């Protein structure tokens, strides 16, 4: 089932951490340093899932999500925000409006990361409206 994941984060160490954990599980991983680079390469890469940091230079995660949702070829690609911002600090309504499917808090458990990406790749973004975490990892939450 593993597929291709586009990892977008301005922190090189985080990009590498996510890459290694997903590649160990059989995913192909392509990285971008910010939202602008993501938008430049996404149609060539054709990912099954995109992870976005929230705070990045040039183009942040929410504006990137909005632009991805506005494009016909990327509007249905599952999107997850992976951020050091806590869920309570974030505007959940704005994330839903931007088309974000899930949120994972940094620092994250690699098992939670893999679980999240697997669920998104399989087409499940969690239980909309429940606020319930995926599995036992309380840092991973569906939006809705």
């Amino acid at each position: 089932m593993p597929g291709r994941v586009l990892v977008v984060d301005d922190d090189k160490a985080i990009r590498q951490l996510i890459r290694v954990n997903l590649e160990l599980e059989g995913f192909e991983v392509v990285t971008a340093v910010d939202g602008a680079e993501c938008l430049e390469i996404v149609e060539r890469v054709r990912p099954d899932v995109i992870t976005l940091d929230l705070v990045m230079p040039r183009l942040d995660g929410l504006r990137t999500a909005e632009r991805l949702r506005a494009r016909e070829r990327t509007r249905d690609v599952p999107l997850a925000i992976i951020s050091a911002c806590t869920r309570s600090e974030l505007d959940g309504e704005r994330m839903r409006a931007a088309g974000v499917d899930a949120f994972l808090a940094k620092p994250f458990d690699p098992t939670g990361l893999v679980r999240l990406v697997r669920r998104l790749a399989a087409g499940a973004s969690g239980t909309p409206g429940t606020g319930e975490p995926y599995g036992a990892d309380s840092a991973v939450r569906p939006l809705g």
Side-chain angles (χ1 to χ4, degrees), residues 34-89:
D34 60 27
E37 184 180 9
C38 169
L39 294 174
E40 291 170 12
I41 68 171
V42 69
E43 291 188 28
R44 177 173 40 85
V45 171
R46 301 185 60 93
D48 299 300
V49 175
I50 300 172
T51 68
L52 298 163
D53 185 15
L54 191 61
V55 180
M56 297 181 287
R58 295 200 299 167
L59 192 61
D60 69 32
L62 288 182
R63 289 189 299 155
T64 302
E66 291 167 347
R67 292 182 187 187
L68 289 165
R69 291 297 184 231
R71 293 180 175 188
E72 184 176 340
R73 293 182 78 178
T74 58
R75 74 172 41 127
D76 296 324
V77 177
L79 304 175
I81 294 285
I82 301 178
S83 177
C85 295
T86 65
R87 181 83 186 256
S88 62
E89 294 174 312

